[in-house]
Amino acid sequence: MVPEKDFLYSCTKASLEEWCVKRTFPKFRSDQIFRHIHERLAISLADMNNLPKDLKAALEEDFYAPSSKIDVISGSQDEVEKLRLELFDGEFIEVAVIPMGEKRTLCLSTQVGCPVGCRFCASGANGLVRNLKCAEIIEEFLYGCSRIGGKCDNIVFMGIGEGLLNTSELFPALEKLTGDFGLSQRRITVSTSGYIPGMEKFAALKREYNLAVSLHAPDDATRAKLIPDPLRYSVADILAAADNWSENSGRQYTLEYTLVAGINDSVDHALQLGKLAYRHHAKINLIPYNDTSSSFKRPALRDIERFEEAVASTGARVTRRVEKGKGAAAACGQLRAEKLNQGDK
Ligand code: SAH
Ligand code: SF4
């Protein structure tokens, strides 16, 4: 379905001003609307209290304001809260609000579905439906902030989708988040399954965003058990692309490693992974597999600990993803998958 209107939440100051002139509203109204969105983080016209009725009606006529709505909220605010958003065309995506001490991290989606199709991931199970628009990503951010009651501290693009396959909408969203919304580049992380053409574009931005690379295996044969063709690249080429990004950004990257029992969790895998990470000056983040409907299993806790110790013994820096929000369908794409399985879409 083609959008029928413009999206209010990706507008620029200049485009709002132009719109006000065209619709014969005074120019200062564009400043008010702009401030409502970017300073007060308003996500609906109802939240914009000092605008006259005719202006709101005109905005509603010409724009999606917003284009999405919250469909379901699950989990809890002291663990992970997950929002399922319904988009203008009836598709669904997810946003997670993750507390870390006093800080709040938002986990945002970049696509409806995902074409990479990692075998352990609910997001890729039915392929790609479509890319998200820049405005839809901004709406995710605003809904997340509305649950926090203010601006989030960090953003990770680890929700549904492979963001580096949607750079034409993701990059403008990153610029808007760090420009108009004033978030620091260092507080934003883009996670990729190792899609090299996208990593090259990300490096060419020469920005200080963080990069997380979902490696999941130290060798190509093990990786092939988890990520199918044709969007899987070789470990060596992915690390070379990540190193190039490091040179351009002056920053270290993180290697994410979803631990799956009997597939990539042996001590030998751990030692190889540690050596690779050490050599490439990368940090490692272990993510014990969250049960989706795949045939995979999460390793037992003692195996996870043994793996972590073996990685650390190589001198590499390793952390384990904080386990939160299992009750909130914690793994990426699960809430959307539940909706698809209900068959009422
Ligand atoms: N497409 C990007 C970002 C979204 S996925 C990427 O793959 O990096 C974000 C992270 O969640 C990835 O590291 C992915 O491997 C992990 N993930 C997805 N499903 C998971 C599951 N069921 N259990 C544990 N981690 C999972
Ligand atoms: Fe796509 Fe990332 Fe899920 Fe793989 S893990 S299917 S790349 S969203």
Side-chain angles (χ1 to χ4, degrees):
M1 186 170 133
V2 180
E4 288 157 2
K5 310 188 221 183
D6 283 338
F7 293 86
L8 183 62
Y9 292 92
S10 54
C11 64
T12 60
K13 223 174 193 159
S15 68
L16 271 179
E17 227 178 81
E18 234 174 74
W19 179 84
C20 278
V21 172
K22 192 180 83 191
R23 295 291 304 237
T24 65
F25 290 105
K27 256 192 193 166
F28 77 89
R29 293 292 185 198
S30 64
D31 278 339
Q32 284 181 319
I33 302 165
F34 194 81
R35 279 207 303 274
H36 272 301
I37 299 172
H38 299 93
E39 288 171 23
R40 298 190 46 234
L41 306 176
I43 178 63
S44 84
L45 295 178
D47 297 337
M48 303 187 191
N49 47 22
N50 58 356
L51 302 184
K53 265 198 186 138
D54 59 339
L55 175 61
K56 285 190 187 182
L59 282 169
E60 202 136 17
E61 245 171 65
D62 290 1
F63 294 102
Y64 287 114
S67 67
S68 54
K69 59 176 192 245
I70 296 183
D71 172 48
V72 165
I73 300 177
S74 64
S76 68
Q77 292 198 324
D78 43 348
E79 282 202 348
V80 172
E81 195 174 59
K82 276 219 170 189
L83 318 178
R84 185 167 65 201
L85 302 187
E86 182 172 353
L87 307 179
F88 71 89
D89 55 357
E91 297 293 342
F92 294 90
I93 52 162
E94 291 173 29
V95 175
V97 186
I98 308 164
M100 306 218 177
E102 291 296 293
K103 306 250 189 246
R104 294 288 178 279
T105 296
L106 295 184
C107 177
L108 305 185
S109 300
T110 54
Q111 298 183 307
V112 181
C114 179
V116 182
C118 302
R119 296 192 173 94
F120 50 80
C121 175
S123 300
N126 296 295
L128 176 71
V129 177
R130 68 171 174 87
N131 283 327
L132 289 183
K133 300 269 178 204
C134 168
E136 293 176 309
I137 296 173
I138 300 299
E139 289 180 22
E140 291 184 73
F141 161 74
L142 289 170
Y143 279 119
C145 293
S146 76
R147 301 301 301 166
I148 295 167
K151 209 187 279 180
C152 62
D153 299 286
N154 299 293
I155 294 180
V156 293
F157 285 92
M158 295 184 183
I160 299 171
E162 168 55 51
L164 293 186
L165 277 164
N166 183 19
T167 52
S168 61
E169 299 293 326
L170 175 62
F171 289 177
L174 295 177
E175 294 294 302
K176 192 155 186 60
L177 289 167
T178 52
D180 293 338
F181 287 102
L183 276 150
S184 146
Q185 290 173 13
R186 291 176 171 238
R187 294 189 175 278
I188 299 183
T189 300
V190 171
S191 177
T192 177
S193 60
Y195 178 64
I196 292 181
M199 291 172 75
E200 286 167 352
K201 287 189 203 162
F202 195 52
L205 288 179
K206 296 192 191 282
R207 295 283 199 267
E208 291 194 321
Y209 306 122
N210 299 294
L211 174 67
V213 180
S214 296
L215 199 68
H216 308 318
D219 63 273
D220 292 320
T222 308
R223 210 162 182 268
K225 294 181 186 168
L226 298 167
I227 307 178
D229 289 329
L231 288 170
R232 186 187 66 254
Y233 289 78
S234 79
V235 170
D237 289 348
I238 291 172
L239 291 173
D243 287 346
N244 176 47
W245 171 85
S246 255
E247 272 164 36
N248 277 4
S249 63
R251 318 212 63 206
Q252 276 190 337
Y253 54 90
T254 301
L255 295 175
E256 288 169 287
Y257 198 97
T258 296
L259 269 169
V260 184
I263 303 279
N264 65 352
D265 65 339
S266 73
V267 167
D268 194 41
H269 287 127
L271 295 173
Q272 282 187 58
L273 173 69
K275 284 180 202 155
L276 272 185
Y278 188 79
R279 210 168 342 122
H280 289 267
H281 308 288
K283 300 168 276 184
I284 298 167
N285 190 26
L286 301 177
I287 315 171
Y289 169 67
N290 268 308
D291 202 12
T292 55
S293 52
S294 78
S295 56
F296 293 133
K297 294 258 171 310
R298 166 193 285 244
L301 184 60
R302 63 172 187 286
D303 293 333
I304 296 172
E305 284 168 355
R306 190 194 50 173
F307 191 93
E308 188 173 354
E309 279 160 25
V311 173
S313 74
T314 64
R317 281 172 56 199
V318 57
T319 52
R320 204 188 314 163
R321 183 191 269 186
V322 191
E323 299 273 354
K324 274 184 171 162
K326 282 191 196 156
C332 141
Q334 274 176 279
L335 274 183
R336 173 171 175 268
E338 277 171 21
K339 184 77 187 180
L340 294 180
N341 292 339
Q342 282 166 18
D344 57 354
K345 217 190 114 256

